[in-house]
Amino acid sequence: MSPDTRRFMKPFCYRGGVLHAENVDLRDIASEVGTPVYCYSTVGFEEQYLAFSRLFAAVPSLVCYAMKANSNQAVLATLARLGAGMDVVSEGELRRARAVGVPPEKIVFSGVGKTQDELAYALDQDILCFNVESEPELEQISALASAGGRSARISIRVNPDIDANTHAKISTGTYANKFGIPLEEAPRVYEKAAKLPGLTVTGVDMHIGSQIPDLAPFDAAAKRLASLACHLMKEGHRLEHLDLGGGLGVVYDPHGNLRPPEPTAYAETILRHTRELGLKLVFEPGRLIAAGAGVLLTRVIHVKQGAGKTFVIVDAAMNDLIRPTLYEAHHEIVNVREAPSDAARETVDVVGPVCESGDYLAQKREMTLPRPGDLLAVMSAGAYGAVQASTYNSRLLVPEVLVKGSKYAVVRPRLSYDDLIGLDRLPGWLL
Ligand SMILES: *Cc1c(COP(=O)(O)O)cnc(C)c1O
C-alpha cells in the first residue's frame, strides 16, 4: 500500500501480513458474505467527519454530509450520531436521512430539477433550506409553499463562473454547467425572492465541483460568494448562513500529480473570506468524509495472458464500481495478503466479467501478479462506489458491510437471483 493511501486510510492496515479493517480480517468478511463486497470502517467515517467539523469549530457552522457519496443508512446513522446534517439531492435521499433520525433542521436540499412531489415532501418535513438553482424553481417553491400556508427557507445556489480544474464530469461551477444562477444575476434574483410569497431568504449557496485539485478555485469562489453576501446584507436581506458546498478532493493515485488541498489550508482560506460576515457556515463535504472509509473486496477469477498483455480478471466489475471507466479514476489495488516487498511486479489490466471493453478497475497497472483465488482490495472506494452500482448484465447488486472494532454487520445484503429476476413483470399478452 502506498504511503498516501496508508495515511488516508488508517483503519485499513496489514496485520500479520493480512489486510484488516479495524480489527477484522478482510478474509473473514469475504468468506462469510462472498465477493464482490464493499467493506467500510466506522472509524474511517467518524475520524474524517470529526476532523472536518473541528476545522470550523471556532465559528458557528454546520457540516451537511453530501450523502450521495455513500447513502447507506448505517453510514448516515454513524455520522448523524456525531451531529452531522445532510445535503440531499432527491426525495429518496431525504427519506433515508429522515429514516435514520437526522433532524429536518440539519437538512439542506440541492439539485437542479426538484420535482413538485419532492418539493412538497421537503416542505412537509420543514427542512433547514432549499438550495434554489433557477428562477422557475424559485417560483415553483413560492407557489407550493404559499398554497400550503407555509414558508420555505431558501438560499440561491450561485454559479461563480470559476473553473475548478477538475474532471469535466464533476465540474459544476462554470457557466458551461447546468448548476446555479450566474453571479451577476444573483442580486436581482434575491430581490425577486424577497418579494415572492411563501419564501424566507436565509442563505447564499455554492458548490463548484468535486475532487478539486487545488486551493485557488475555492479561494476565488469564497471571495466572490462572501462579497455577494455582504452586498445582499447591505440591501437589507437578513441572511443567516453561507453554504460553501463540498468538493475537497482526496489522493487516489500516489504517483499522480493531483494533490488536493489540505483541509487545514482550505479552512484558513474559507475563514479568511467569511469570518467578518458573522454568518453561520454550512459545508457539504461528501468524498472527503467517505472515500477513505471503504474498500471494494474482489476475488481473482483468472489471470489471462493476452497478446503482449496480462489481464487479471476479477469478480467485481464496472457495475459495482464505475469510477475508473466513468471518470478515468485511479484506485489503488492491493492484495489482501501482503506481497513480499521484493516480489516481482508486472503491468496488468484489472478487468471484470461484464461484456464491455470499458469494464476495468485499472489499466496498465504495475502490481505483484496475483493468483486465481486471491482476494484483492480496491482502495478509497467508500465514496461514489456502492451508490452508483447497478445490476447490469443481471449481476447481483453488490452488498455492503460495516466494521466497528472487532465486529462487523452486513448493512446491505446481496439480493438473491429470485429477488433480481422477480422484479420483472410479464404483461398479460405474453402470459
Ligand atoms: C456532490 C455534491 C457535493 C459533494 O461533493 P464532494 O466532492 O463529494 O465533496 C456537495 N454539494 C452538492 C450540491 C453536490 O452536488
Side-chain angles (χ1 to χ4, degrees):
M1 204 188 303
S2 67
D4 280 316
T5 305
R6 213 177 302 136
R7 185 174 72 109
F8 181 52
M9 300 187 71
K10 286 198 195 82
F12 294 85
C13 58
Y14 285 100
R15 290 208 206 141
V18 179
L19 191 61
H20 283 60
E22 304 188 25
N23 300 326
V24 176
D25 183 331
L26 290 177
R27 293 174 306 183
D28 294 344
I29 292 176
S31 54
E32 190 194 316
V33 187
T35 53
V37 57
Y38 277 93
C39 172
Y40 308 130
S41 153
T42 297
V43 169
F45 293 108
E46 288 178 344
E47 285 192 344
Q48 285 298 108
Y49 169 79
L50 290 172
F52 189 90
S53 45
R54 270 196 294 267
L55 292 172
F56 300 98
V59 298
S61 57
L62 175 65
V63 179
C64 292
Y65 167 60
M67 59 179 274
K68 74 177 193 280
N70 186 329
S71 56
N72 190 292
Q73 290 179 66
V75 173
L76 304 185
T78 299
L79 293 171
R81 281 190 186 189
L82 302 177
M86 300 287 155
D87 170 40
V88 307
V89 293
S90 70
E91 180 175 341
E93 287 196 347
L94 178 50
R95 285 180 183 271
R96 273 174 192 266
R98 295 292 294 127
V100 298
V102 178
E105 62 270 20
K106 288 186 178 176
I107 298 177
V108 299
F109 193 171
S110 304
V112 293
K114 307 176 191 79
T115 66
Q116 191 86 351
D117 285 349
E118 291 182 311
L119 291 171
Y121 178 71
L123 274 169
D124 256 359
Q125 296 290 312
D126 198 20
I127 60 168
L128 172 64
C129 193
F130 292 82
N131 291 337
V132 177
E133 303 228 11
S134 65
E135 285 184 67
E137 186 190 342
L138 191 69
E139 288 157 13
Q140 188 186 13
I141 298 175
S142 162
L144 207 57
S146 49
R150 298 173 188 275
S151 186
R153 285 171 292 275
I154 63 118
S155 67
I156 306 281
R157 175 163 173 184
V158 177
N159 183 328
D161 197 24
I162 283 167
D163 186 351
N165 296 321
T166 183
H167 191 275
K169 287 188 178 140
I170 45 176
S171 176
T172 59
T174 78
Y175 289 174
N177 305 120
K178 66 181 174 183
F179 300 99
I181 286 175
L183 187 67
E184 337 34 295
E185 303 275 317
R188 181 184 58 77
V189 179
Y190 269 96
E191 210 159 301
K192 176 172 173 174
K195 291 193 190 116
L196 283 171
L199 301 180
T200 311
V201 172
T202 59
V204 185
D205 170 51
M206 72 169 189
H207 171 70
I208 57 172
S210 199
Q211 186 60 3
I212 297 174
D214 50 65
L215 211 47
F218 287 115
D219 190 14
K223 186 172 174 191
R224 287 184 190 176
L225 199 72
S227 118
L228 171 66
C230 188
H231 171 80
L232 293 172
M233 288 192 286
K234 280 193 193 124
E235 297 281 297
H237 294 282
R238 290 216 291 272
L239 299 181
E240 291 167 16
H241 75 263
L242 203 59
D243 183 336
L244 294 132
L248 261 185
V250 305
V251 178
Y252 285 105
D253 181 0
H255 306 293
N257 43 21
L258 194 148
R259 297 279 124 181
E262 287 296 329
T264 46
Y266 166 82
E268 271 168 35
T269 300
I270 299 297
L271 289 171
R272 179 156 43 81
H273 292 302
T274 59
R275 212 187 262 273
E276 302 281 274
L277 296 169
L279 295 172
K280 178 171 182 167
L281 302 182
V282 175
F283 297 93
E284 304 168 351
R287 187 188 310 274
L288 185 71
I289 308 297
V295 300
L296 172 62
L297 292 178
T298 182
R299 212 173 276 286
V300 178
I301 304 174
H302 299 298
V303 176
K304 174 173 164 179
Q305 296 297 338
K309 214 171 177 179
T310 303
F311 295 99
V312 174
I313 303 172
V314 298
D315 65 3
M318 64 186 287
N319 71 297
D320 305 307
L321 178 64
I322 204 172
R323 300 195 66 262
T325 195
L326 183 59
Y327 310 116
E328 296 153 77
H330 181 108
H331 283 270
E332 195 169 342
I333 301 178
V334 302
N335 204 309
V336 167
R337 262 187 175 288
E338 193 170 25
S341 53
D342 58 350
R345 291 167 76 82
E346 240 183 89
T347 301
V348 303
D349 280 11
V350 181
V351 303
V354 162
C355 300
E356 293 273 346
S357 39
D359 178 27
Y360 53 83
L361 298 180
Q363 288 182 304
K364 296 195 187 113
R365 182 65 58 82
E366 199 193 286
M367 65 191 293
T368 311
L369 194 65
R371 282 188 295 221
D374 278 6
L375 194 58
L376 305 181
V378 182
M379 307 304 285
S380 305
Y384 304 109
V387 283
Q388 295 198 68
S390 76
T391 59
Y392 186 41
N393 279 211
S394 288
R395 290 164 54 81
L396 296 174
L397 192 63
V398 61
E400 297 167 278
V401 166
L402 180 65
V403 170
K404 184 177 170 66
S406 308
K407 292 183 293 207
Y408 67 89
V410 176
V411 295
R412 179 171 81 190
R414 196 186 307 277
L415 301 181
S416 70
Y417 282 113
D418 286 344
D419 293 331
L420 176 71
I421 297 165
L423 287 172
D424 297 351
R425 297 287 179 274
L426 282 177
W429 66 87
L430 287 177
L431 289 173

